[in-house]
Amino acid sequence: MGSRRDFIKLSAMATGSLMVPNILHANHRALTKTNNLAKKPIVISTWNHGLKANKVAWDILKNGGSALDAAELGVRIVESDPNNMSVGIGGRPDRDGTVSLDACIMDHQSNCGAVAYLQHIENPISVARKVMEKTPHVMLAGDGALQFALENGFKKTNLLTKEAVREWKEWLKQSEYKPKINVENHDTIGMLTLDAEGNLAGSCTTSGMAYKLPGRVGDSPIIGAGLFVDGDVGAACATGVGEAVIRIAGSSIIVELMRSGATPQEACDEGVNRIIKKHKNLNNLQVGFLALDKAGNVGASSVFAGFDYAIHTSNKEELIEATFQKQWE
Ligand code: SD4
């Protein structure tokens, strides 16, 4: 279908050096196989905590539920897990010991909502959805976001767990800021869903970079950076160093590349390529992208090895290592 048009688009991409050479195909076979098998409904999400989040999302999708409900409720289970130290309750605090959360959600009609620098609330993704559905705004931040959450029935919770305090105090001894995102392998959760009706949605939620400066907000609550959905084309989300993702408008770029004819895998590879081109110093600069197109094809790519994502379809439930461009030293 449209093969000449597709060929022209792809040729244009190649001559514009959009195609990324020399990518290390860690799991190219698995990705290719997945691409061929993927059918709607489908859910994909970042890191190994995505496996249990996908289960919740899948239960919704397989029963004919909406992509939006699946994307919200799927990531909530990770937000509510105190043992997960990068999302929701139990998240690592900022430099001063305060836990602040960022999240956003988007549907196939470009409805979207976000919260940034939200404290004391366990499920920021649900507050983000309320911002989307009950206000004329897209994003609420800080005290205003908290006030809105409380007014809408969310309860104040202590998000700082004993384990997070213990690690933070350990960090304070040296106070050295060294993000090395995929070493612990349990970071931000971004989720992309496609329901039986063919509608796309996405969610992204995080406690952000551990020991960040107070007030710092990353890419995760920013529509177009940490997450972007275009119901006519596809969806993308990001994990990793948020500053780098914001700099290239990461998730929106990936969706735009898909609109221009790139597969989700090519689009993610090109997103990673742009991160690499824009940063002279790649020291510890891990970024991973996930993408899902309207037909249920998936892509995943990262700067460094070790980024994996969880996929759940009617015949597949597994964790897959993304394509990457660099090995850790
Ligand atoms: C941030 N992008 O706050 C988030 C952190 C993250 O995997 O994704 N870690 O910059």
Side-chain angles (χ1 to χ4, degrees):
M1 193 182 78
S3 57
R4 191 180 129 73
R5 211 169 124 239
D6 290 345
F7 173 73
I8 291 169
K9 275 184 199 155
L10 285 172
S11 309
M13 287 174 64
T15 48
S17 77
L18 284 175
M19 310 299 274
V20 184
N22 300 326
I23 288 172
L24 302 175
H25 289 285
N27 207 337
H28 183 65
R29 272 236 192 86
L31 280 171
T32 309
K33 205 167 148 217
T34 300
N35 284 347
N36 292 338
L37 286 176
K39 294 257 190 294
K40 63 187 183 200
I42 177 172
V43 49
I44 55 175
S45 58
T46 56
W47 305 110
N48 55 4
H49 51 201
L51 287 169
K52 70 176 177 187
N54 283 3
K55 269 192 202 303
V56 175
W58 179 254
D59 275 347
I60 294 167
L61 294 171
K62 78 164 189 245
N63 290 314
S66 75
L68 186 65
D69 285 344
E72 178 196 355
L73 298 174
V75 300
R76 266 179 74 112
I77 192 169
V78 179
E79 290 181 332
S80 293
D81 177 359
N83 297 319
N84 182 303
M85 300 188 72
S86 47
V87 180
I89 190 167
R92 292 185 182 85
D94 66 19
R95 184 193 66 180
D96 295 351
T98 299
V99 180
S100 63
L101 305 178
D102 298 335
C104 72
I105 190 159
M106 189 165 192
D107 75 8
H108 65 291
Q109 293 174 316
S110 302
N111 297 308
C112 48
V115 287
Y117 200 70
L118 175 63
Q119 296 177 41
H120 312 302
I121 301 291
E122 184 173 315
N123 295 117
I125 196 67
S126 296
V127 186
R129 182 162 177 183
K130 281 266 187 300
V131 172
M132 167 177 135
E133 289 177 342
K134 293 187 85 173
T135 79
H137 309 305
V138 165
M139 184 186 284
L140 294 177
D143 289 346
L146 176 60
Q147 187 185 333
F148 173 79
L150 297 174
E151 282 169 8
N152 280 277
F154 292 85
K155 297 274 170 291
K156 244 185 168 176
T157 310
N158 175 20
L159 301 177
L160 189 61
T161 57
K162 282 195 181 122
E163 179 57 19
V165 170
R166 194 192 60 71
E167 282 196 11
W168 170 58
K169 290 202 166 144
E170 209 39 51
W171 174 82
L172 279 176
K173 290 181 188 160
Q174 302 216 321
S175 298
E176 225 182 326
Y177 185 59
K178 270 193 185 166
K180 193 156 182 179
I181 280 177
N182 70 335
V183 170
E184 288 145 347
N185 211 9
H186 52 69
D187 260 281
T188 294
I189 183 153
M191 175 178 278
L192 307 175
T193 52
L194 177 66
D195 63 28
E197 305 254 299
N199 293 327
L200 287 158
S203 55
C204 189
T205 176
T206 190
S207 53
M209 307 294 285
Y211 320 128
K212 60 197 175 187
L213 288 179
R216 181 264 187 192
V217 171
D219 60 317
S220 304
I222 298 178
I223 297 294
L227 175 72
F228 195 66
V229 178
D230 185 313
D232 298 330
V233 177
C237 64
T239 179
V241 179
E243 285 74 4
V245 176
I246 293 170
R247 225 165 256 136
I248 66 152
S251 294
S252 71
I253 284 292
I254 285 170
V255 172
E256 286 313 302
L257 287 163
M258 291 194 283
R259 193 194 309 280
S260 306
T263 64
Q265 186 59 45
E266 288 164 348
C268 288
D269 288 343
E270 172 55 17
V272 166
N273 197 32
R274 288 194 189 187
I275 297 271
I276 292 173
K277 271 196 259 171
K278 296 287 178 194
H279 294 86
K280 286 199 181 83
N281 182 358
L282 288 177
N283 208 8
N284 288 331
L285 201 162
Q286 174 66 312
V287 168
F289 291 114
L290 266 192
L292 174 64
D293 72 13
K294 213 176 147 42
N297 299 305
V298 307
S301 193
S302 57
V303 177
F304 287 98
F307 168 49
D308 41 32
Y309 69 98
I311 181 166
H312 202 134
T313 68
S314 57
N315 55 13
K316 184 179 273 281
E317 183 184 355
E318 62 184 336
L319 194 67
I320 297 177
E321 188 182 4
T323 295
F324 56 90
Q325 296 205 34
K326 297 195 178 291
Q327 291 282 5
W328 293 102
E329 301 276 292

